[in-house]
Amino acid sequence: MFDLSSADLLDAFTRELRLCKVREGEHVVVLSEPGSRGDYVAAAFGAAKACGAHVIAATVPGGSPAPMPSTHTGAGPGLLSVLNDSAAQDLLKSADLVVDLTREGFIHAPVQQEIRRAGTRIIFICDAPDVLIRNLPKENDKAEVQEGVDLLERSSVMRVTSAAGTDLTVQLAGAKPEFQCGFADDPGRWDHWPSTMVLCWPEISGGQIVLDEGDILLPFKEYVSSPVTLQVSDGHIEKVSGGAQARMLSTFFDDAQDRWARSLSHMGWGLMRTADWFATAMYGKDELMGMDARAFAGNFLWSTGPHPVLGRESYAHLDIAMRGCTVSVDGTEVVTAGTLTDR
């Protein structure tokens, strides 16, 4: 959206890789595909060199289109060219850090777990340049999101309510709380620049979710124009009612022909205070992934489809970002009416 020089990008990528603790002598692989941004490849390569690392730029084919083509969702099993190429996998496993500049990466792919078990750190980067720079993480972001993870780990129930009518109860047993802080600094860690959020992967949830005007549907990258009500039972969306966007969601679920399309996946709240809720409206749909919406401070983010904790692989992945919700964990409010609660 804004003109940024190559020097601006190099500076931002260098700061990011330093947050990822890239040290002299480490090995960095810059992973891209033909559709990746060339200026990002150059900035990541130069940043790795500036940190004193050995660096390889690897370009892989984008692979066949997913059964459900989408724009920047991170859905499904992952980048097919990596999944089908053991030499590519071995290269990534041999790296200390992979800078993933592919358009949709392999966020939910089992092979990602294999690469991480080798100790490789992975940082996924996909959004527009000014989005990256505006939301460049800070080192203390990790400690803040870890507090949220610790709270979820020692708690039993998360409840989400809103003035619009949302009342969702989530059982936290076995929900494997996680976080994203925008940098990957520990061995075997995957993260996403930009992102600052707390999330978990519950199996059981039930109640009602009411999408209000101005909430954001991803990957459609559309703002909700009239309320949509979703009835949830045992982690499954039983009924969707409302106007045109309710019909769109129902059609998406039906057309997916995917047994997990209506099943809830990860959910949590955002802590990225530099995020801009209106960013989704300011770019073309192909220009950004939508992390401003996903990680917006005080949002409630929930999703459908893939669920690695339960072993579910799915292309039917939606992320839905909501404002105005109150999120409480065992009675402790972490978000009150869409605003982060100081604790």
Side-chain angles (χ1 to χ4, degrees):
M1 185 174 179
F2 298 103
D3 291 330
L4 294 166
S5 70
S6 57
D8 293 324
L9 281 178
L10 177 59
D11 175 67
F13 272 75
T14 302
R15 291 161 65 189
E16 171 66 22
L17 264 56
R18 285 178 175 151
L19 285 170
C20 292
K21 294 185 178 177
V22 175
R23 300 182 301 276
E24 185 172 355
E26 283 199 316
H27 292 82
V28 173
V29 171
V30 179
L31 181 68
S32 64
E33 55 188 334
S36 299
R37 293 184 59 125
D39 53 352
Y40 282 16
V41 174
F45 195 98
K49 292 292 290 181
C51 292
H54 305 287
V55 57
I56 295 173
T59 302
V60 296
S64 303
M68 296 185 67
S70 56
T71 302
H72 300 330
T73 67
L79 191 66
L80 296 181
S81 57
V82 172
L83 296 182
N84 297 329
D85 189 341
S86 60
Q89 294 173 29
D90 289 343
L91 174 64
L92 302 183
K93 290 176 184 177
S94 70
D96 295 292
L97 177 74
V98 172
V99 181
D100 183 0
L101 302 178
T102 61
R103 290 173 58 83
E104 295 181 10
F106 39 93
I107 297 174
H108 299 293
V111 71
Q112 186 217 86
Q113 304 299 323
E114 295 179 25
I115 294 167
R116 291 168 58 191
R117 281 195 291 270
T120 300
R121 316 190 295 280
I122 304 173
I123 186 68
F124 180 53
I125 306 169
C126 191
D127 256 299
D130 50 308
V131 173
L132 298 180
I133 292 174
R134 172 166 47 80
N135 294 312
L136 190 72
K138 302 179 295 296
E139 189 171 1
N140 61 0
D141 289 345
K142 184 178 179 181
E144 184 177 18
V145 292
Q146 185 63 58
E147 289 181 11
V149 169
D150 293 344
L151 176 62
L152 289 174
E153 285 180 337
R154 63 176 183 264
S155 301
S156 301
V157 176
M158 179 168 66
R159 188 178 179 204
V160 185
T161 59
S162 75
T166 293
D167 194 345
L168 180 72
T169 299
V170 181
Q171 304 298 323
L172 295 174
K176 194 183 176 183
E178 298 179 1
F179 66 82
Q180 293 177 18
C181 63
F183 54 91
D185 58 339
D186 294 321
R189 174 152 188 83
W190 177 95
D191 217 299
H192 188 165
W193 172 32
S195 185
T196 316
M197 67 171 72
V198 176
L199 65 146
C200 62
W201 301 86
E203 178 178 4
I204 300 172
S205 55
Q208 177 173 275
I209 299 173
V210 180
L211 307 182
D212 203 0
E213 295 176 2
D215 292 341
I216 300 178
L217 306 176
L218 300 154
F220 308 120
K221 297 169 188 168
E222 289 188 5
Y223 293 86
V224 173
S225 57
S226 61
V228 176
T229 300
L230 304 102
Q231 301 294 338
V232 179
S233 178
D234 197 22
H236 185 79
I237 298 170
E238 301 289 348
K239 182 180 179 182
V240 183
S241 58
Q245 285 164 323
R247 292 192 293 274
M248 179 177 72
L249 288 174
S250 294
T251 302
F252 175 88
F253 295 141
D254 293 341
D255 286 357
Q257 299 182 359
D258 186 317
R259 62 183 297 193
W260 307 120
R262 292 176 180 262
S263 295
L264 270 58
S265 181
H266 64 77
M267 60 182 69
W269 64 94
L271 294 100
M272 196 159 73
R273 292 171 177 81
T274 53
D276 181 358
W277 192 259
F278 299 102
T280 304
M282 304 301 290
Y283 298 81
K285 290 190 177 185
D286 197 44
E287 290 182 287
L288 80 171
M289 186 169 185
M291 294 310 295
D292 278 293
R294 287 178 170 90
F296 185 86
N299 77 355
F300 172 61
L301 179 75
W302 62 278
S303 67
T304 67
H307 196 306
V309 175
L310 299 179
R312 295 192 328 228
E313 293 185 23
S314 171
Y315 283 99
H317 185 57
L318 298 179
D319 280 338
I320 299 182
M322 301 172 62
R323 290 196 302 178
C325 294
T326 294
V327 181
S328 63
V329 181
D330 274 5
T332 298
E333 290 187 4
V334 292
V335 177
T336 302
T339 300
L340 288 174
T341 304
D342 293 330
R343 295 186 291 112

